Amino acid sequence: KGFSKGNKLKKLGMKAQDTCELFFEDCRVPASAVLGEVNKGFIYLMQELPQERLIVGNMAIASAEACFEWTRSYVKDRKAFGAPLANLQTIKHRLATLKTEITIGRTFA
C-alpha cells in the first residue's frame, strides 16, 4: 500500500526522460497538503494536455529546424563528384521540400 513505481514505458522520443507507471494506493495526505479538490486530480491532468501537446509540437519543429540547418551546412561542405553536394539538383529539391514542410509546421504549430 502507499506509493509504488511500475514498469518503465517505451517511448518514441525523449528517451532520456524515464517515464513509468506510478501507483498510489490508500495514500494519506494531510488536508493542508491537498492541492485542488479531492478526487479531481485526473480532471486537472486532462485540462493541461492541450498545452503539453503544443509544447511537444513546438519542440519537434525546433528539432527539425536545427537538423535542417546542420544538414544544409554539411551538404555545402561535403564534396562529391568534384563539387559540393549542395550543387546537386536532387539535394536542392530535397532540402526545398524539407524547408517547406518545416515552415508549414511552424506556421500551424
Side-chain angles (χ1 to χ4, degrees):
K1 303 276 179 174
F3 169 75
S4 62
K5 185 175 160 183
N7 297 323
K8 185 176 178 183
L9 303 175
K10 293 180 182 176
K11 303 185 298 183
L12 291 176
M14 294 189 269
K15 295 182 186 242
Q17 296 177 353
D18 60 339
T19 303
C20 69
E21 302 167 316
L22 303 176
F23 300 100
F24 300 89
E25 295 182 55
D26 297 329
C27 290
R28 294 200 167 278
V29 178
S32 62
V34 173
L35 300 175
E37 293 180 49
V38 174
N39 294 323
K40 298 277 184 170
F42 185 72
I43 293 168
Y44 295 144
L45 286 173
M46 294 302 289
Q47 288 173 341
E48 296 302 319
L49 274 179
Q51 179 71 18
E52 188 175 332
R53 288 178 177 147
L54 181 61
I55 291 168
V56 170
N58 284 337
M59 288 172 46
I61 293 295
S63 296
E65 288 173 337
C67 290
F68 176 83
E69 292 303 326
W70 294 328
T71 301
R72 188 169 65 151
S73 175
Y74 175 79
V75 298
K76 283 181 178 179
D77 293 338
R78 176 76 166 96
K79 294 191 184 210
F81 311 111
L85 285 175
N87 291 353
L88 297 174
Q89 187 176 26
T90 55
I91 301 294
K92 289 178 182 180
H93 285 176
R94 188 63 185 140
L95 287 176
T97 300
L98 290 171
K99 185 63 175 175
T100 300
E101 290 174 355
I102 291 167
T103 302
I104 290 169
R106 172 64 68 197
T107 302
F108 292 105

